[in-house]
Amino acid sequence: MKAIVYPETGGPEVLRLVERDLPVPGPGEVRVRIAVSGVNPTDVQARAGVAHPKGFPEITPHLDGAGVVDATGPGVDAGRVGERVWVFMAAAGRPTGTAAEYAVLPADRAVPLPDEVPFEVGAALGVPALTAHRALTVSEDGPRRLRPGALDGAVVLAAGGAGAVGHAVVQLARWAGATVLSTVSGPAKAALATAAGAHHVIDYRAGDPVAAVRAAAPDGVDLVAEVALGANLALDLAVLRPRGTIATYANAGGGPVQLDVPAHLVRNVRLQFLVLYTAGPEARAAAVADVAAAAAAGALPVGREHGLPLTRFPLERTADAHRAVEAGTVGKVLVDVRP
């Protein structure tokens, strides 16, 4: 099979297209014939050496993807062969990511994908959608599971609604019944957040963003899904209601986080840090089930018309896909493994 590998960390130039033997699934594993591989910032960071799994002579990158189960290992129902699936955390602590014609992974990381849901949707789920689910289910007063009606009456602010995680926050919150606001950095990204389903979109570079959020949510925001905590914490606190939650999954831009402790104390603010990999098996399993249900319901479409432009590369240009992520390409970067 054809695969992309890197034997050492570094820039995109360390990625090589090679021929490798077809992997054999072990106990509890499946082998997936990959159609589309999704590229996340985490994948780029791992290749660069920020979070490189240890102990493997070479690694095939990418956590997310979609394809068809073509073999099962001992202990896995052989009836899964032929099943369309979306894949998550394929390369988490393992050397076998989705930037290859075939990937072997634990069976529970390959989730059924309905026939009517395209592979590009499946490849865009994974890390972004599961992270978004976690962000939306950590409030003290909020639900632990998402379904239509679970967030009825809640007001959610998705910071950076044109990004992959922000886009998923908008879509999942809207599907679950929330009133959804999003902050963006300009008109083009505002159009994307609106296309994703945000009820109110605020350009934080124009006018008074706090006043704009307050106009849309006079009683305050219940939950902020935050991508740039250092840059946005003052705004978040200014629009958050008492007992509200700021769920932060990144600190884009690397700005320092300065906490106004008395202001947070008096309003009983919950500041929740989150990352998918250490969220725990129960939280991940709930996220997988709910994201699968949302995707099956057609609530998580992709493409520019749905607020998430797709930038696609063939397998042999995976290094260019990584460069696109590093350059801050808006939307989702995908690698087409098979035509």
Side-chain angles (χ1 to χ4, degrees), residues 275-301:
V275 68
L276 179 62
Y277 317 107
T278 56
E282 291 184 6
R284 278 200 304 272
V288 168
D290 295 348
V291 167
L300 298 172

Side-chain angles (χ1 to χ4, degrees), residues 56-234:
F56 303 116
E58 66 179 24
I59 289 174
T60 292
H62 301 174
L63 294 160
D64 299 338
V68 178
V69 174
D70 92 310
T72 59
V76 180
D77 180 8
R80 294 199 66 181
V81 172
E83 182 178 72
R84 300 173 83 252
V85 293
W86 59 276
V87 167
F88 71 97
M89 289 176 59
R94 301 168 58 86
T96 53
T98 65
E101 291 183 316
Y102 294 86
V104 166
L105 64 152
D108 62 356
R109 298 186 193 178
V111 187
L113 185 71
D115 290 344
E116 63 272 16
V117 180
F119 283 133
E120 58 260 34
V121 171
L125 296 176
V127 169
L130 298 176
T131 299
H133 182 282
R134 176 70 174 156
L136 291 168
T137 55
V138 294
S139 295
E140 182 177 0
D141 302 323
R144 292 294 175 267
R145 299 292 300 269
L146 297 182
R147 65 184 189 284
L151 290 174
D152 279 357
V155 178
V156 170
L157 173 59
V165 177
H167 173 265
V169 169
V170 171
Q171 289 186 322
L172 283 171
R174 181 73 186 253
W175 176 66
T179 296
V180 184
L181 287 63
S182 182
T183 49
V184 296
S185 60
K189 291 184 178 180
L192 295 176
T194 299
H199 296 91
H200 306 278
V201 179
I202 295 95
D203 183 347
Y204 62 79
R205 292 181 175 174
D208 183 343
V210 171
V213 172
R214 279 291 184 179
D219 296 327
V221 170
D222 295 277
L223 182 143
V224 181
E226 185 56 75
V227 66
L229 186 65
N232 296 334
L233 183 56

Side-chain angles (χ1 to χ4, degrees), residues 18 26 34 52 58 126 188 190 211 233 240 242-243 248 256-257 260 264 332:
V18 298
I34 301 296
H52 183 58
E58 66 179 24
L233 183 56
L240 202 66
R243 294 172 59 84
T248 183
V257 178
D260 183 341
H264 287 77
K332 184 70 182 180

